[in-house]
Amino acid sequence: MTISANLALAYPEIILAVGALALLVLGAFMPKQTSLVATGGVAVLLAAAVASATQPFGVAFGGGLIADAAATFAKVAIYVASAVAIPLGQPWFERRGVKTFEFPVLILLSALGMGMMASSGDLISLYVGVELSSLALYVLAAMHRDNAKASEAGLKYFVLGALSSGLLLYGASLVYGFAGSTLYADIAKAAGAEANTGLLFGLIFVICGLAFKVSAAPFHMWTPDVYEGAPTPVVAFFAAAPKLAAMMLFARVLADGFTDAVAQWQQVLVALALISVAVGAFGGLVQKNLKRLWAYSSIANIGYAVLGLASGTSEGVQAMLVFMILYMVDVTGFFACLAALSRQGKAMETIDDMAGLVKERRGLALAMTVFSLSALGLPPFSGFWAKYVVFKAAIDAGLWGPAVIGLVGSVVAAFYYLRLIKVMWFDGSAGATDKPPMEAKAIGLTAAVFAFPVVLVAITWLNPLAARAAQALGLA
């Protein structure tokens, strides 16, 4: 393949890389023009999303980059979610005296890494994508430098992230050593040729490294502390796009590289899913801080997504993708609402802070109720349909027991969602709240619309797109 053909398949990544460097230079020479850099960042991300949606399919750079329906589906969603994070986060930082242009640039660099994860065709591009995305996320977690909790969150995320990267790299080296190639296609041939114990050991380490990236238990230890300490708009970003990118990478590695080893990795994924559901459901029961509570909620929800992937079928991958898209709407909207709430200049982050919120901010209270009921899985909210497709895929694959346990975990988790709703609607007011900023309020209310009535229409076009993406991978 010619150089121009290779570059044509990498247009989204090129747009993001050039855009990030250009905005970095612009910010360095015009440090006060933070709004201009933020606007430029949104424009670059939307341009990359358009380029992803319109680019041709193929394989570039010797198989290291794959442009197919799965990559397109994931990258468009990742870039749009990243674009939403910029207008949510930049004004939030400026109101707190952190007038820096680096925030949009870091979002772009992280999105670039996530795009590479979704398009990776070998273990090298996998690792480069994971590390590029992760390094930007470590800095974003500690972006509020004057806040001790934010600095602590960034440090914890970095240290534990380095550990997971070591596991991932060790597993990748084992896979390469026993397969003789870093390409997923060649690894699949080696895995299918004969029972290779060394190759499966490498796969287990790769799964452990990726499980950390999606915060699946028992590799979830970073999630509650980082969610609590990181700035709220950054948490909204953490909980959405990076999770989809990591789950897409999970699916691609297993489906393209270990197609004939489904029976082996299915057992590991079922265990990860059930442990995640249990930790997320029971761990959230004792939480008072809403960011920690939704950290445990995210652990449980990743468990449902992993359960869909554990089915080992194309239908399971489709269910996982639908689940992740709908979950992204819920979690982004909830944290947007949380970022909009403050009382006397102090952020409202505990359940007690939400007492009587409906009397002060009816729109935001209603939106947070919608997101809580959706995360619970109550019909007709988006979370119900998300869990429905995941459980259906698991049952169709014969995973009746795990599906039932997952359903029980969802019932247990209902307690902490309903407790928040009860406090917002029926408890006495905790005091007057500050006027919410327009950008956070607008994002939260818009997401609430998509999480409720619009989702019934959205499902009709989301399912075929997810099915097309799933069929591009190697599972039957």
Side-chain angles (χ1 to χ4, degrees):
M1 181 179 286
T2 63
I3 295 178
S4 59
N6 279 321
L7 294 179
L9 295 178
Y11 276 157
E13 288 76 16
I14 293 172
I15 290 171
L16 287 173
V18 173
L21 293 175
L23 291 176
L24 183 62
V25 172
L26 175 63
F29 283 95
M30 304 173 66
K32 294 183 179 180
Q33 298 298 323
T34 54
S35 297
L36 179 61
V37 176
T39 303
V42 173
V44 170
L45 284 164
L46 294 180
V50 172
S52 297
T54 57
Q55 73 177 143
F57 292 163
V59 178
F61 304 110
L65 184 143
I66 300 174
D68 58 8
T72 296
F73 181 92
K75 287 199 285 190
V76 170
I78 288 166
Y79 298 156
V80 171
S82 301
V84 171
I86 293 177
L88 178 62
Q90 188 71 20
W92 188 94
F93 281 110
E94 292 183 355
R95 284 193 296 272
R96 286 156 179 78
V98 186
K99 296 185 178 180
T100 176
F101 66 87
E102 288 93 343
F103 178 74
V105 177
L106 289 168
I107 293 287
L108 288 179
L109 292 173
S110 181
L112 172 59
M114 288 186 276
M116 290 183 65
M117 291 163 65
S119 290
S120 70
D122 68 359
L123 297 174
I124 297 174
S125 56
L126 174 156
Y127 190 72
V128 170
V130 167
E131 287 306 295
L132 178 57
S133 173
S134 297
L135 288 172
L137 293 177
Y138 301 152
V139 180
L140 284 170
M143 196 76 183
H144 197 185
R145 288 167 293 189
D146 294 334
N147 186 294
K149 279 191 174 182
S151 299
E152 180 185 354
L155 181 60
K156 286 182 177 179
Y157 196 13
F158 173 72
V159 172
L160 295 174
L163 175 63
S164 75
S165 295
L167 290 174
L168 180 61
L169 193 57
Y170 180 62
S173 65
L174 283 176
V175 171
Y176 168 68
F178 285 98
S181 174
T182 60
L183 292 173
Y184 297 157
D186 293 338
I187 294 170
K189 294 176 184 177
E194 59 182 12
N196 192 324
T197 304
L199 198 61
L200 293 178
F201 264 106
L203 172 61
I204 296 300
F205 278 105
V206 170
I207 289 176
C208 291
L210 293 178
F212 176 93
K213 301 303 179 185
V214 297
S215 66
F219 305 97
H220 66 287
M221 64 290 293
W222 63 274
T223 313
D225 289 340
V226 172
Y227 273 43
E228 181 182 10
T232 304
V234 173
V235 178
F237 178 61
F238 275 176
K243 297 292 180 67
L244 173 61
M247 286 304 301
M248 184 70 248
L249 179 58
F250 228 141
R252 190 176 288 284
V253 170
L254 297 176
D256 288 352
F258 295 88
T259 311
D260 296 323
V262 173
Q264 285 74 33
W265 55 256
Q266 185 182 61
Q267 302 172 45
V268 180
L269 292 195
V270 168
L272 283 176
L274 297 184
I275 295 172
S276 298
V277 169
V279 169
F282 289 98
L285 296 177
V286 297
Q287 302 304 317
K288 300 295 178 64
N289 183 284
L290 284 173
K291 291 161 77 174
R292 291 186 69 90
L293 188 152
W294 273 73
Y296 282 99
S297 170
S298 75
I299 295 167
N301 279 285
I302 284 299
Y304 301 127
V306 172
L307 182 61
L309 187 57
S311 67
T313 62
S314 179
E315 180 190 358
V317 176
Q318 174 187 346
M320 180 272 290
L321 292 175
V322 170
F323 181 94
M324 291 305 301
I325 293 295
L326 297 180
Y327 174 69
M328 284 169 62
V329 174
D330 290 340
V331 74
T332 301
F334 184 88
F335 282 110
C337 292
L338 200 60
L341 290 171
S342 63
R343 182 178 289 115
Q344 297 179 352
K346 183 182 178 181
M348 296 167 55
E349 294 183 352
T350 68
I351 292 179
D352 292 339
D353 288 338
M354 301 297 152
L357 183 64
V358 69
K359 302 178 182 66
E360 295 289 327
R361 301 295 171 191
R362 183 174 296 272
L364 290 173
L366 181 60
M368 294 175 77
T369 300
V370 168
F371 298 131
S372 298
L373 293 176
S374 182
L376 163 61
L378 192 73
F381 302 100
S382 63
F384 169 78
W385 302 104
K387 290 182 180 178
Y388 170 78
V389 295
V390 166
F391 289 145
K392 181 179 183 299
I395 290 171
D396 289 346
L399 301 177
W400 280 90
V404 170
I405 295 173
L407 185 59
V408 171
S410 184
V411 173
V412 172
F415 172 79
Y416 52 74
Y417 298 120
L418 295 177
R419 178 177 60 174
L420 172 61
I421 295 172
K422 175 259 180 186
V423 169
M424 288 192 298
W425 286 82
F426 300 110
D427 284 11
S429 176
T433 61
D434 301 333
K435 183 178 179 181
M438 284 304 299
E439 72 285 341
K441 184 178 180 180
I443 291 172
L445 296 181
T446 302
V449 172
F450 277 92
F452 187 24
V454 177
V455 76
L456 301 179
V457 179
I459 287 291
T460 61
W461 58 261
L462 181 59
N463 265 324
L465 291 175
R468 186 178 173 216
Q471 289 164 7
L473 301 179
L475 294 176

